[in-house]
Amino acid sequence: MNESRPLTRIDMLRFARRVVEQQANRQLALIDRWIAEEERREAERRQGEERRPPEPERLIQYGLNRRNVDAVHAGGCCAARKSGRCRPATRGEVIDALRQQVPACPHCRPDTTLGILD
């Protein structure tokens, strides 16, 4: 501005408007970055879900030494997820384990779903 004349009220209001406009543009750019990051995370999450292999239908739970078979489970059993010592198994492997007196999980009862009852 010209230093010879004092600032008028309209000059100060225009200056305030420019400041607010710059701050608003900066904040909008920041929010746009946050939106883009969140959209990227969401796309990655969806892609991960699509690539995840299907849950096995049957599981065999091994002992602490990873050799002894402790129990058999259905695929979605919460007790099997908690143990962390389960591996996917075929229908034949589960039937063989049940015939060898390996206990069936009392929560998911895979012996009932396979039609093998004591």
Side-chain angles (χ1 to χ4, degrees):
M1 290 245 153
N2 188 356
E3 292 182 23
S4 61
R5 70 177 179 100
L7 290 175
T8 64
R9 185 167 167 82
I10 192 87
D11 292 333
M12 289 187 280
L13 289 171
R14 285 185 177 140
F15 174 76
R17 185 188 185 288
R18 283 195 309 272
V19 170
V20 169
E21 184 179 15
Q22 289 172 354
Q23 291 174 346
N25 286 336
R26 255 187 250 128
Q27 292 301 314
L28 286 173
L30 179 63
I31 291 171
D32 288 343
R33 278 197 307 269
W34 290 345
I35 290 170
E37 288 174 15
E38 193 60 33
E39 287 173 341
R40 180 187 51 79
R41 278 191 215 106
E42 182 66 21
E44 287 175 357
R45 187 192 60 75
R46 265 185 272 126
Q47 191 177 41
E49 286 178 359
E50 291 169 1
R51 290 182 178 176
R52 183 176 297 142
E55 190 174 89
E57 291 183 33
R58 295 161 203 90
L59 300 166
I60 291 183
Q61 178 180 333
Y62 291 91
L64 293 174
N65 65 3
R66 305 278 187 203
R67 288 187 210 126
N68 300 338
V69 177
D70 283 350
V72 292
H73 298 273
C77 181
C78 61
R81 277 187 243 127
K82 289 179 184 176
S83 79
R85 298 187 316 261
C86 293
R87 301 286 178 260
T90 63
R91 178 183 169 90
E93 290 171 333
V94 170
I95 290 173
D96 287 343
L98 290 170
R99 288 187 178 145
Q100 294 173 10
Q101 303 303 312
V102 173
C105 173
H107 301 287
C108 61
R109 300 301 303 179
D111 52 347
T112 304
T113 59
L114 291 171
I116 300 173
L117 301 173
D118 296 331

